[in-house]
Amino acid sequence: MSTYAITGSNGFIASHLVTKMLEQGHSIRATVRYENDAPQLECMRNLQAAHPNKLTIHKVEDLTKVDELVEVFRGCDGVFHMAAVHPKYGFEETPEGREELIAIAVKGTVSALEACVKADVKRVVLTSSLAAVECGNDEGALTEGTWSKADVFDSAEKLEKTTWATHYTYVKSKTEQEKAAVDFAEKNGLDLRVIVPGNLCVGPIANKEINGTMTRLRDIMSGTNTLKGAADLGVVHVEDVVAAHVASMTKDDACGRYLVTRNMVKIEEIFETLKGLYPSAKLAAMDNMDICSGVQGKARTIETRTEKELGLKLKDLSTTLKDAVDSMVINNSV
């Protein structure tokens, strides 16, 4: 079995990935920003107990500290770089500010890749975001060759005259992060594979906390619509995203960028599906919309090689939403 490092390992997708890799018998070196006794790491400590000598936790508070990462990465067969800065949803200001948030995203990723080179790690899987793909491409098909458009996420009008300035800052950070990673890998001979999950990645709760994306479903089930900015969404099951990460790391012929989502679905379809699954629930009305992505009443298609090349069959919308909501109900999060 192999040894892999996973940065940002207590995140939603990353927590599921840690569990999956341990179940397959691999050894994991998990980087976190917290002390080992922090409440956020309870799930990881439970995994340590269940998989003796297979999981080590490494506090790395600043991903630009290359030497600290080198010590974690040395001897690994590959690195999953999943750590990222996630501002609060959409329109809330960030304490870092626009330029700093973008710089953190880019510098943290480039530093992690630099550490891979110094630690002699050849293969890296980077977790990107549909934010780096769909912004400004509001109609038609999204492909592995599609990039978000700077004339949209840098637009002074959108940054100054809408409530979505933080959203566009996040879009820019993810776009520049991924492009910087691809450029660094090409110049330094790194075997980089990129996973781009759908922008509504949901499923069973991995630990006691739920992330911002799962919060959107919780809000709808609790009577408030906080998906108001999207006309359509790429809904994907977290288990499918994890499977794509594993396959892209372990398949020698995997390469480049993979969009991991089925076709986008109209936001109306998400509400209708939830209503059909939970007819007695007091779901939010689809009101207070403020579209910053897509075109109302339309859904974009996804053209991707993920299923064919990585050997996956992505779960359908109903299954994905049901697994997510049922998990929150069981965990008293709804």
Side-chain angles (χ1 to χ4, degrees), residues 170-195:
Y170 177 69
V171 169
K172 182 170 184 174
S173 75
K174 298 306 293 185
T175 305
E176 294 198 357
Q177 172 200 39
E178 187 182 340
K179 287 187 173 183
V182 171
D183 181 64
F184 182 94
E186 289 177 349
K187 291 178 179 177
N188 291 274
L190 273 177
D191 180 4
L192 177 70
R193 294 97 185 271
V194 180
I195 297 298

PDB file of all heavy atoms in Angstrom, residues 170-195:
ATOM      1  N   TYR A 170     -13.635  35.230  -4.903  1.00  0.00           N
ATOM      2  CA  TYR A 170     -13.388  33.796  -4.776  1.00  0.00           C
ATOM      3  C   TYR A 170     -13.169  33.165  -6.153  1.00  0.00           C
ATOM      4  O   TYR A 170     -12.267  32.342  -6.341  1.00  0.00           O
ATOM      5  CB  TYR A 170     -14.565  33.129  -4.073  1.00  0.00           C
ATOM      6  CG  TYR A 170     -14.432  31.622  -3.957  1.00  0.00           C
ATOM      7  CD1 TYR A 170     -13.477  31.048  -3.122  1.00  0.00           C
ATOM      8  CD2 TYR A 170     -15.259  30.771  -4.691  1.00  0.00           C
ATOM      9  CE1 TYR A 170     -13.343  29.670  -3.035  1.00  0.00           C
ATOM     10  CE2 TYR A 170     -15.142  29.398  -4.603  1.00  0.00           C
ATOM     11  CZ  TYR A 170     -14.180  28.851  -3.769  1.00  0.00           C
ATOM     12  OH  TYR A 170     -14.051  27.497  -3.686  1.00  0.00           O
ATOM     13  N   VAL A 171     -13.985  33.555  -7.123  1.00  0.00           N
ATOM     14  CA  VAL A 171     -13.829  33.047  -8.487  1.00  0.00           C
ATOM     15  C   VAL A 171     -12.421  33.347  -9.004  1.00  0.00           C
ATOM     16  O   VAL A 171     -11.740  32.479  -9.558  1.00  0.00           O
ATOM     17  CB  VAL A 171     -14.881  33.672  -9.427  1.00  0.00           C
ATOM     18  CG1 VAL A 171     -14.553  33.364 -10.883  1.00  0.00           C
ATOM     19  CG2 VAL A 171     -16.269  33.154  -9.080  1.00  0.00           C
ATOM     20  N   LYS A 172     -11.984  34.573  -8.820  1.00  0.00           N
ATOM     21  CA  LYS A 172     -10.648  34.938  -9.285  1.00  0.00           C
ATOM     22  C   LYS A 172      -9.577  34.137  -8.560  1.00  0.00           C
ATOM     23  O   LYS A 172      -8.611  33.667  -9.182  1.00  0.00           O
ATOM     24  CB  LYS A 172     -10.405  36.431  -9.095  1.00  0.00           C
ATOM     25  CG  LYS A 172      -9.034  36.872  -9.608  1.00  0.00           C
ATOM     26  CD  LYS A 172      -8.881  38.381  -9.639  1.00  0.00           C
ATOM     27  CE  LYS A 172      -7.531  38.768 -10.246  1.00  0.00           C
ATOM     28  NZ  LYS A 172      -7.397  40.229 -10.431  1.00  0.00           N
ATOM     29  N   SER A 173      -9.744  33.944  -7.262  1.00  0.00           N
ATOM     30  CA  SER A 173      -8.731  33.215  -6.493  1.00  0.00           C
ATOM     31  C   SER A 173      -8.601  31.778  -6.983  1.00  0.00           C
ATOM     32  O   SER A 173      -7.488  31.250  -7.113  1.00  0.00           O
ATOM     33  CB  SER A 173      -9.071  33.241  -4.999  1.00  0.00           C
ATOM     34  OG  SER A 173     -10.147  32.364  -4.672  1.00  0.00           O
ATOM     35  N   LYS A 174      -9.725  31.125  -7.282  1.00  0.00           N
ATOM     36  CA  LYS A 174      -9.671  29.736  -7.737  1.00  0.00           C
ATOM     37  C   LYS A 174      -9.126  29.636  -9.167  1.00  0.00           C
ATOM     38  O   LYS A 174      -8.400  28.691  -9.498  1.00  0.00           O
ATOM     39  CB  LYS A 174     -11.059  29.100  -7.660  1.00  0.00           C
ATOM     40  CG  LYS A 174     -11.644  29.029  -6.257  1.00  0.00           C
ATOM     41  CD  LYS A 174     -10.726  28.333  -5.266  1.00  0.00           C
ATOM     42  CE  LYS A 174     -10.528  26.860  -5.548  1.00  0.00           C
ATOM     43  NZ  LYS A 174      -9.732  26.190  -4.484  1.00  0.00           N
ATOM     44  N   THR A 175      -9.472  30.596  -9.999  1.00  0.00           N
ATOM     45  CA  THR A 175      -8.965  30.594 -11.370  1.00  0.00           C
ATOM     46  C   THR A 175      -7.458  30.794 -11.384  1.00  0.00           C
ATOM     47  O   THR A 175      -6.715  30.047 -12.040  1.00  0.00           O
ATOM     48  CB  THR A 175      -9.655  31.692 -12.195  1.00  0.00           C
ATOM     49  OG1 THR A 175     -11.075  31.523 -12.126  1.00  0.00           O
ATOM     50  CG2 THR A 175      -9.208  31.647 -13.648  1.00  0.00           C
ATOM     51  N   GLU A 176      -6.984  31.796 -10.654  1.00  0.00           N
ATOM     52  CA  GLU A 176      -5.552  32.084 -10.652  1.00  0.00           C
ATOM     53  C   GLU A 176      -4.776  30.988  -9.928  1.00  0.00           C
ATOM     54  O   GLU A 176      -3.640  30.669 -10.298  1.00  0.00           O
ATOM     55  CB  GLU A 176      -5.297  33.450 -10.028  1.00  0.00           C
ATOM     56  CG  GLU A 176      -5.865  34.588 -10.862  1.00  0.00           C
ATOM     57  CD  GLU A 176      -5.264  35.938 -10.521  1.00  0.00           C
ATOM     58  OE1 GLU A 176      -4.428  36.013  -9.596  1.00  0.00           O
ATOM     59  OE2 GLU A 176      -5.629  36.924 -11.192  1.00  0.00           O
ATOM     60  N   GLN A 177      -5.376  30.398  -8.898  1.00  0.00           N
ATOM     61  CA  GLN A 177      -4.734  29.297  -8.188  1.00  0.00           C
ATOM     62  C   GLN A 177      -4.479  28.127  -9.137  1.00  0.00           C
ATOM     63  O   GLN A 177      -3.364  27.585  -9.192  1.00  0.00           O
ATOM     64  CB  GLN A 177      -5.622  28.826  -7.035  1.00  0.00           C
ATOM     65  CG  GLN A 177      -5.132  27.561  -6.346  1.00  0.00           C
ATOM     66  CD  GLN A 177      -6.228  26.855  -5.566  1.00  0.00           C
ATOM     67  OE1 GLN A 177      -7.372  26.782  -6.019  1.00  0.00           O
ATOM     68  NE2 GLN A 177      -5.897  26.359  -4.394  1.00  0.00           N
ATOM     69  N   GLU A 178      -5.506  27.718  -9.870  1.00  0.00           N
ATOM     70  CA  GLU A 178      -5.351  26.566 -10.749  1.00  0.00           C
ATOM     71  C   GLU A 178      -4.378  26.862 -11.886  1.00  0.00           C
ATOM     72  O   GLU A 178      -3.524  26.024 -12.224  1.00  0.00           O
ATOM     73  CB  GLU A 178      -6.706  26.127 -11.315  1.00  0.00           C
ATOM     74  CG  GLU A 178      -6.613  24.833 -12.100  1.00  0.00           C
ATOM     75  CD  GLU A 178      -7.920  24.389 -12.722  1.00  0.00           C
ATOM     76  OE1 GLU A 178      -8.993  24.841 -12.274  1.00  0.00           O
ATOM     77  OE2 GLU A 178      -7.863  23.584 -13.679  1.00  0.00           O
ATOM     78  N   LYS A 179      -4.470  28.033 -12.481  1.00  0.00           N
ATOM     79  CA  LYS A 179      -3.566  28.370 -13.576  1.00  0.00           C
ATOM     80  C   LYS A 179      -2.113  28.425 -13.094  1.00  0.00           C
ATOM     81  O   LYS A 179      -1.198  27.968 -13.804  1.00  0.00           O
ATOM     82  CB  LYS A 179      -3.981  29.699 -14.212  1.00  0.00           C
ATOM     83  CG  LYS A 179      -5.251  29.593 -15.051  1.00  0.00           C
ATOM     84  CD  LYS A 179      -5.544  30.874 -15.808  1.00  0.00           C
ATOM     85  CE  LYS A 179      -6.713  30.685 -16.771  1.00  0.00           C
ATOM     86  NZ  LYS A 179      -6.993  31.899 -17.574  1.00  0.00           N
ATOM     87  N   ALA A 180      -1.906  28.959 -11.896  1.00  0.00           N
ATOM     88  CA  ALA A 180      -0.547  29.013 -11.339  1.00  0.00           C
ATOM     89  C   ALA A 180      -0.012  27.609 -11.092  1.00  0.00           C
ATOM     90  O   ALA A 180       1.171  27.326 -11.316  1.00  0.00           O
ATOM     91  CB  ALA A 180      -0.532  29.826 -10.049  1.00  0.00           C
ATOM     92  N   ALA A 181      -0.873  26.708 -10.632  1.00  0.00           N
ATOM     93  CA  ALA A 181      -0.468  25.323 -10.374  1.00  0.00           C
ATOM     94  C   ALA A 181      -0.068  24.627 -11.667  1.00  0.00           C
ATOM     95  O   ALA A 181       0.953  23.923 -11.730  1.00  0.00           O
ATOM     96  CB  ALA A 181      -1.602  24.567  -9.686  1.00  0.00           C
ATOM     97  N   VAL A 182      -0.880  24.797 -12.702  1.00  0.00           N
ATOM     98  CA  VAL A 182      -0.587  24.167 -13.995  1.00  0.00           C
ATOM     99  C   VAL A 182       0.737  24.692 -14.545  1.00  0.00           C
ATOM    100  O   VAL A 182       1.582  23.926 -15.034  1.00  0.00           O
ATOM    101  CB  VAL A 182      -1.731  24.428 -14.991  1.00  0.00           C
ATOM    102  CG1 VAL A 182      -1.337  23.977 -16.405  1.00  0.00           C
ATOM    103  CG2 VAL A 182      -2.998  23.703 -14.541  1.00  0.00           C
ATOM    104  N   ASP A 183       0.946  25.988 -14.444  1.00  0.00           N
ATOM    105  CA  ASP A 183       2.178  26.597 -14.938  1.00  0.00           C
ATOM    106  C   ASP A 183       3.394  26.072 -14.170  1.00  0.00           C
ATOM    107  O   ASP A 183       4.413  25.703 -14.772  1.00  0.00           O
ATOM    108  CB  ASP A 183       2.079  28.120 -14.819  1.00  0.00           C
ATOM    109  CG  ASP A 183       3.317  28.825 -15.349  1.00  0.00           C
ATOM    110  OD1 ASP A 183       3.587  28.713 -16.561  1.00  0.00           O
ATOM    111  OD2 ASP A 183       4.018  29.486 -14.553  1.00  0.00           O
ATOM    112  N   PHE A 184       3.287  26.018 -12.842  1.00  0.00           N
ATOM    113  CA  PHE A 184       4.407  25.541 -12.030  1.00  0.00           C
ATOM    114  C   PHE A 184       4.714  24.082 -12.343  1.00  0.00           C
ATOM    115  O   PHE A 184       5.880  23.694 -12.475  1.00  0.00           O
ATOM    116  CB  PHE A 184       4.077  25.693 -10.537  1.00  0.00           C
ATOM    117  CG  PHE A 184       5.202  25.275  -9.627  1.00  0.00           C
ATOM    118  CD1 PHE A 184       6.110  26.213  -9.158  1.00  0.00           C
ATOM    119  CD2 PHE A 184       5.352  23.950  -9.229  1.00  0.00           C
ATOM    120  CE1 PHE A 184       7.156  25.830  -8.331  1.00  0.00           C
ATOM    121  CE2 PHE A 184       6.384  23.559  -8.404  1.00  0.00           C
ATOM    122  CZ  PHE A 184       7.295  24.507  -7.946  1.00  0.00           C
ATOM    123  N   ALA A 185       3.688  23.270 -12.469  1.00  0.00           N
ATOM    124  CA  ALA A 185       3.885  21.844 -12.740  1.00  0.00           C
ATOM    125  C   ALA A 185       4.584  21.626 -14.068  1.00  0.00           C
ATOM    126  O   ALA A 185       5.499  20.790 -14.182  1.00  0.00           O
ATOM    127  CB  ALA A 185       2.544  21.119 -12.715  1.00  0.00           C
ATOM    128  N   GLU A 186       4.167  22.364 -15.082  1.00  0.00           N
ATOM    129  CA  GLU A 186       4.788  22.219 -16.394  1.00  0.00           C
ATOM    130  C   GLU A 186       6.264  22.604 -16.360  1.00  0.00           C
ATOM    131  O   GLU A 186       7.109  21.941 -16.977  1.00  0.00           O
ATOM    132  CB  GLU A 186       4.043  23.077 -17.419  1.00  0.00           C
ATOM    133  CG  GLU A 186       2.655  22.552 -17.766  1.00  0.00           C
ATOM    134  CD  GLU A 186       1.896  23.450 -18.723  1.00  0.00           C
ATOM    135  OE1 GLU A 186       2.371  24.597 -18.960  1.00  0.00           O
ATOM    136  OE2 GLU A 186       0.840  23.028 -19.223  1.00  0.00           O
ATOM    137  N   LYS A 187       6.595  23.649 -15.627  1.00  0.00           N
ATOM    138  CA  LYS A 187       7.971  24.123 -15.577  1.00  0.00           C
ATOM    139  C   LYS A 187       8.863  23.243 -14.714  1.00  0.00           C
ATOM    140  O   LYS A 187      10.093  23.255 -14.881  1.00  0.00           O
ATOM    141  CB  LYS A 187       8.002  25.559 -15.040  1.00  0.00           C
ATOM    142  CG  LYS A 187       7.411  26.589 -16.002  1.00  0.00           C
ATOM    143  CD  LYS A 187       7.428  27.973 -15.400  1.00  0.00           C
ATOM    144  CE  LYS A 187       6.861  29.001 -16.382  1.00  0.00           C
ATOM    145  NZ  LYS A 187       6.797  30.368 -15.789  1.00  0.00           N
ATOM    146  N   ASN A 188       8.267  22.484 -13.786  1.00  0.00           N
ATOM    147  CA  ASN A 188       9.057  21.719 -12.837  1.00  0.00           C
ATOM    148  C   ASN A 188       8.886  20.208 -12.948  1.00  0.00           C
ATOM    149  O   ASN A 188       9.353  19.459 -12.086  1.00  0.00           O
ATOM    150  CB  ASN A 188       8.722  22.169 -11.409  1.00  0.00           C
ATOM    151  CG  ASN A 188       9.204  23.577 -11.119  1.00  0.00           C
ATOM    152  OD1 ASN A 188      10.342  23.790 -10.723  1.00  0.00           O
ATOM    153  ND2 ASN A 188       8.321  24.552 -11.316  1.00  0.00           N
ATOM    154  N   GLY A 189       8.230  19.752 -13.996  1.00  0.00           N
ATOM    155  CA  GLY A 189       8.123  18.324 -14.252  1.00  0.00           C
ATOM    156  C   GLY A 189       7.243  17.566 -13.285  1.00  0.00           C
ATOM    157  O   GLY A 189       7.427  16.361 -13.080  1.00  0.00           O
ATOM    158  N   LEU A 190       6.261  18.239 -12.689  1.00  0.00           N
ATOM    159  CA  LEU A 190       5.328  17.562 -11.790  1.00  0.00           C
ATOM    160  C   LEU A 190       4.184  16.938 -12.586  1.00  0.00           C
ATOM    161  O   LEU A 190       3.679  17.547 -13.535  1.00  0.00           O
ATOM    162  CB  LEU A 190       4.729  18.550 -10.781  1.00  0.00           C
ATOM    163  CG  LEU A 190       5.479  18.806  -9.480  1.00  0.00           C
ATOM    164  CD1 LEU A 190       4.727  19.867  -8.672  1.00  0.00           C
ATOM    165  CD2 LEU A 190       5.653  17.551  -8.663  1.00  0.00           C
ATOM    166  N   ASP A 191       3.784  15.759 -12.188  1.00  0.00           N
ATOM    167  CA  ASP A 191       2.629  15.092 -12.795  1.00  0.00           C
ATOM    168  C   ASP A 191       1.380  15.567 -12.047  1.00  0.00           C
ATOM    169  O   ASP A 191       1.017  15.030 -11.011  1.00  0.00           O
ATOM    170  CB  ASP A 191       2.805  13.580 -12.669  1.00  0.00           C
ATOM    171  CG  ASP A 191       1.650  12.802 -13.287  1.00  0.00           C
ATOM    172  OD1 ASP A 191       0.755  13.433 -13.875  1.00  0.00           O
ATOM    173  OD2 ASP A 191       1.639  11.565 -13.152  1.00  0.00           O
ATOM    174  N   LEU A 192       0.750  16.615 -12.581  1.00  0.00           N
ATOM    175  CA  LEU A 192      -0.384  17.253 -11.914  1.00  0.00           C
ATOM    176  C   LEU A 192      -1.685  16.819 -12.565  1.00  0.00           C
ATOM    177  O   LEU A 192      -1.851  16.905 -13.783  1.00  0.00           O
ATOM    178  CB  LEU A 192      -0.254  18.775 -12.001  1.00  0.00           C
ATOM    179  CG  LEU A 192      -1.401  19.589 -11.406  1.00  0.00           C
ATOM    180  CD1 LEU A 192      -1.411  19.489  -9.883  1.00  0.00           C
ATOM    181  CD2 LEU A 192      -1.297  21.062 -11.831  1.00  0.00           C
ATOM    182  N   ARG A 193      -2.614  16.362 -11.735  1.00  0.00           N
ATOM    183  CA  ARG A 193      -3.976  16.091 -12.181  1.00  0.00           C
ATOM    184  C   ARG A 193      -4.904  16.999 -11.380  1.00  0.00           C
ATOM    185  O   ARG A 193      -4.683  17.214 -10.188  1.00  0.00           O
ATOM    186  CB  ARG A 193      -4.358  14.629 -11.929  1.00  0.00           C
ATOM    187  CG  ARG A 193      -3.544  13.623 -12.771  1.00  0.00           C
ATOM    188  CD  ARG A 193      -2.369  13.031 -12.016  1.00  0.00           C
ATOM    189  NE  ARG A 193      -1.522  12.162 -12.854  1.00  0.00           N
ATOM    190  CZ  ARG A 193      -1.719  10.869 -13.012  1.00  0.00           C
ATOM    191  NH1 ARG A 193      -2.725  10.265 -12.388  1.00  0.00           N
ATOM    192  NH2 ARG A 193      -0.912  10.161 -13.771  1.00  0.00           N
ATOM    193  N   VAL A 194      -5.952  17.525 -12.004  1.00  0.00           N
ATOM    194  CA  VAL A 194      -6.829  18.507 -11.360  1.00  0.00           C
ATOM    195  C   VAL A 194      -8.262  17.988 -11.341  1.00  0.00           C
ATOM    196  O   VAL A 194      -8.801  17.592 -12.374  1.00  0.00           O
ATOM    197  CB  VAL A 194      -6.779  19.860 -12.100  1.00  0.00           C
ATOM    198  CG1 VAL A 194      -7.700  20.869 -11.421  1.00  0.00           C
ATOM    199  CG2 VAL A 194      -5.352  20.394 -12.153  1.00  0.00           C
ATOM    200  N   ILE A 195      -8.865  18.008 -10.159  1.00  0.00           N
ATOM    201  CA  ILE A 195     -10.257  17.627 -10.003  1.00  0.00           C
ATOM    202  C   ILE A 195     -11.092  18.890  -9.785  1.00  0.00           C
ATOM    203  O   ILE A 195     -10.811  19.694  -8.894  1.00  0.00           O
ATOM    204  CB  ILE A 195     -10.452  16.675  -8.802  1.00  0.00           C
ATOM    205  CG1 ILE A 195      -9.691  15.371  -9.024  1.00  0.00           C
ATOM    206  CG2 ILE A 195     -11.940  16.402  -8.566  1.00  0.00           C
ATOM    207  CD1 ILE A 195     -10.145  14.564 -10.217  1.00  0.00           C
TER     208      ILE A 195
END
